[in-house]
Amino acid sequence: MALLSSLNQSFTPGSLSQHMSVFDFFIPGFTNITNTASQALGGNWTGYTQLMCLFALAAFLKPYVLQLKYWFVDYCTSTIYIKPSDETYHMVQTWISSRGLDDTARSILAKVRTKRNPAQGYSDSTKKALWYAPWEGSFVFWYKNNLLYYKTVLVDNGFHKEEQISVTCIGRSRVLKDLLGDCRLEYLNDLKNKTTIHGHRDDHWRKEKAVVARPLSTVIVDAKQKEPLIKDIRDFLNPDTRRWYTEHSIPYKRGYLLHGPPGTGKSSFSLSIAGELDMDIYVVSIPGANDQMLKSLFAGLPDRCVVLLEDIDAAGAACSRDSNSEDSDSDGDARSPKRGVTLSGLLNVLDGVASQEDRVLVMTTNHPQRLDPALTRPGRIDREVEFQLANRGIAKNIFHFMFGQPEKIGQVSRLKECDGDVERQADEFAAKVPESEFSPAEIMSYLLPHRSCPATAVQHCGRWVDDLRKEKQAKKSRLEGWD
């Protein structure tokens, strides 16, 4: 009893100043501070003095509160970071916007929306519509009964600053992975029947846009060229083919060279290949790259994708060492290879030690004769396909495509069989178009203004042929005069 009485006396309020509290081991002077605060709040001092004491107490405790905060963040929370150079950035932004959470942020970025949904039509409400996104700010939101903290900051990335997203939760990161999983599924669902086109900024890939997948039936080329190429790509992507490549220790990749005059459908065909096979397409601008940049870009390619190198001869890096500048024209200038991508750098990324596998490489050129034989040898280019100017069959197919009635299959338009009147008009139109003189793009450009009246297109076809011939001849004369 005497011991209990002694303990009770030691813990009376009046004895706090004489006895050290256990908190004094963690916060030196804690007992004296609490006694002073107790007297101040008890009314022994004036209101002004009480206020000053409270400010002093807050200033004294601030370092300890910050230490507690840092300790809590380090040991009791999980954070996931997302860079804008990764496609995960678009997944998270799409998910945040679809739920209106971007309106929660107090700091937002306002931009004019450059892309709109065609289904919305065009009106005053859609003209230069605004788009908002969180910017250098933060907000909290609930996800599956968990409170999450969303934050965006600008980080220095060498020559420029870029936005970085972070999402924080209390506890382990399982809930964050679930969130990104939901973002991914919603993002993929939005991309159904679409082809994602990736460009690059310096040595990082960036998503440019997602377009409705273009069926191969809408790319008008000779069936004798189209069908074997599609069959070859499908055979390559077959799982049994991949297994065979692995068993025989052969690099699993395939290269195609599409060549022919401008406007014959080389780039459109490449985009349609990606859409038909449900693959993303990564477009490299050779003239704007260098060896190190090209190496980094190829190293960052995902599995199962189409890589498009357009106008491979334009940079001069792939040109034959026997070619000279006199062979160049306005469609493909032979530029000095002393800057940008070199031939050896291009060959290294195609099949060097660090070359990327599991991809379909498509190169296009208007001048295959200029390419160095080292680039076009088997193993680097597995199949060459020549895209030709329009013959009578192609001209007829283009007319069918323009004036036949489309039908909807999902979200993709395909062509129905043409009726007898359109069939007759297509034969008449194809008979008036000279063989192998005009490109499919030129024919389609003529038909577009007449899209609502096929009879008018047939009627004025002869005059269009004459005018286009005169235009081409005048252009050729100008070029010869410059030479």
Side-chain angles (χ1 to χ4, degrees):
M1 295 295 293
L3 178 60
L4 291 175
S5 178
S6 176
L7 287 174
N8 288 333
Q9 292 177 2
S10 64
F11 285 97
T12 58
S15 64
L16 284 175
S17 59
Q18 286 79 27
H19 297 275
M20 181 179 291
S21 169
V22 68
F23 291 103
D24 284 286
F25 288 104
F26 302 97
I27 305 177
F30 177 81
T31 301
N32 294 331
I33 293 171
T34 53
N35 286 336
T36 302
S38 177
Q39 293 177 3
L41 297 176
N44 295 333
W45 291 348
T46 64
Y48 178 77
T49 306
Q50 292 179 0
L51 185 61
M52 293 301 296
C53 287
L54 288 177
F55 277 121
L57 179 62
F60 182 83
L61 293 178
K62 181 179 178 181
Y64 301 103
V65 173
L66 290 177
Q67 290 181 11
L68 182 62
K69 172 188 173 183
Y70 295 145
W71 177 87
F72 180 80
V73 170
D74 290 341
Y75 295 100
C76 300
T77 65
S78 300
T79 302
I80 193 163
Y81 297 92
I82 303 159
K83 295 182 178 180
S85 56
D86 191 87
E87 201 169 356
T88 312
Y89 175 86
H90 299 281
M91 297 180 183
V92 174
Q93 287 283 56
T94 301
W95 191 91
I96 290 293
S97 297
S98 67
R99 283 154 179 78
L101 294 176
D102 45 0
D103 295 333
T104 309
R106 293 184 175 272
S107 177
I108 59 177
L109 174 69
K111 297 175 63 177
V112 173
R113 188 185 296 274
T114 57
K115 302 292 187 300
R116 64 183 178 87
N117 187 351
Q120 296 178 345
Y122 192 83
S123 63
D124 290 340
S125 61
T126 59
K127 181 180 180 180
K128 294 189 180 298
L130 297 178
W131 172 77
Y132 302 95
W135 180 257
E136 284 195 280
S138 60
F139 60 90
V140 295
F141 64 97
W142 289 96
Y143 171 75
K144 292 184 177 180
N145 297 324
N146 291 276
L147 189 63
L148 304 185
Y149 178 68
Y150 179 100
K151 184 178 180 181
T152 62
V153 296
L154 286 180
V155 296
D156 196 351
N157 188 22
F159 297 104
H160 65 279
K161 291 185 177 181
E162 66 177 15
E163 185 186 18
Q164 179 178 268
I165 294 176
S166 64
V167 184
T168 303
C169 71
I170 300 175
R172 296 293 181 181
S173 61
R174 181 68 261 174
V175 64
L176 298 179
K177 294 178 179 178
D178 290 343
L179 171 65
L180 290 186
D182 287 348
C183 294
R184 171 182 170 273
L185 291 177
E186 187 169 311
Y187 181 77
L188 292 177
N189 185 63
D190 185 59
L191 289 179
K192 281 184 177 179
N193 298 317
K194 293 182 179 179
T195 303
T196 304
I197 303 173
H198 297 264
H200 64 90
R201 176 184 290 179
D202 297 330
D203 58 352
H204 291 92
W205 291 111
R206 296 181 66 89
K207 176 187 173 183
E208 298 290 344
K209 58 183 177 179
V211 298
V212 176
R214 183 175 180 180
L216 283 167
S217 59
T218 65
V219 182
I220 313 300
V221 295
D222 194 333
K224 295 180 180 179
Q225 300 168 322
K226 179 193 296 187
E227 298 303 329
L229 179 58
I230 293 301
K231 183 179 183 304
D232 187 85
I233 296 177
R234 289 190 183 278
D235 289 343
F236 172 72
L237 295 175
N238 190 300
D240 293 336
T241 303
R242 182 187 182 111
R243 192 179 305 112
W244 186 92
Y245 272 73
T246 302
E247 292 173 352
H248 291 76
S249 301
I250 298 175
Y252 183 66
K253 54 189 176 183
R254 197 148 180 86
Y256 300 89
L257 177 65
L258 312 183
H259 59 85
T264 51
K266 300 182 295 295
S267 298
S268 299
F269 190 76
S270 303
L271 183 60
S272 295
I273 288 174
E276 188 79 8
L277 302 176
D278 194 22
M279 299 166 69
D280 291 352
I281 186 168
Y282 291 75
V283 184
V284 181
S285 175
I286 291 294
N290 55 44
D291 287 350
Q292 184 57 44
M293 188 186 303
L294 196 63
K295 181 179 179 181
S296 298
L297 289 173
F298 268 69
L301 289 172
D303 294 339
R304 191 179 167 84
C305 66
V306 175
V307 185
L308 175 61
L309 303 182
E310 286 193 294
D311 298 323
I312 191 67
D313 60 288
C319 289
S320 170
R321 285 164 278 220
D322 297 329
S323 64
N324 53 63
S325 59
E326 295 180 357
D327 295 330
S328 63
D329 59 22
S330 59
D331 290 329
D333 297 333
R335 303 177 186 179
S336 173
K338 63 183 180 181
R339 293 188 303 171
V341 178
T342 64
L343 178 61
S344 60
L346 181 59
L347 297 181
N348 282 334
V349 299
L350 295 184
D351 62 357
V353 175
S355 64
Q356 190 78 3
E357 297 189 24
D358 201 8
R359 48 97 175 132
V360 175
L361 176 69
V362 180
M363 292 187 281
T364 68
T365 179
N366 299 333
H367 308 283
Q369 70 278 4
R370 295 181 184 170
L371 299 182
D372 195 292
L375 176 65
T376 58
R377 71 162 177 80
R380 291 178 179 141
I381 298 297
D382 300 291
R383 193 182 186 98
E384 293 188 23
V385 180
E386 180 181 5
F387 282 65
Q388 302 173 348
L389 296 174
N391 55 27
R392 183 164 298 182
I394 291 178
K396 182 177 179 179
N397 289 337
I398 294 175
F399 195 93
H400 282 164
F401 171 72
M402 294 295 296
F403 300 106
Q405 294 297 320
E407 60 178 349
K408 291 282 188 176
I409 302 178
Q411 296 181 356
V412 180
S413 295
R414 300 183 185 273
L415 293 179
K416 293 181 179 178
E417 293 294 329
C418 295
D419 57 34
D421 195 39
V422 172
E423 183 70 22
R424 177 186 56 79
Q425 291 171 333
D427 287 331
E428 186 178 350
F429 173 78
K432 293 183 178 182
V433 177
E435 286 271 347
S436 302
E437 189 171 334
F438 299 150
S439 70
E442 290 171 328
I443 297 175
M444 189 169 293
S445 179
Y446 164 70
L447 292 176
L448 277 173
H450 304 287
R451 60 188 177 275
S452 59
C453 187
T456 305
V458 176
Q459 180 182 353
H460 297 298
C461 180
R463 187 172 62 186
W464 164 71
V465 169
D466 293 337
D467 291 343
L468 188 55
R469 280 175 169 170
K470 292 178 182 178
E471 182 182 334
K472 286 176 174 286
Q473 184 60 42
K475 181 179 179 181
K476 182 178 179 181
S477 299
R478 288 197 302 268
L479 293 175
E480 291 175 349
W482 290 343
D483 293 339

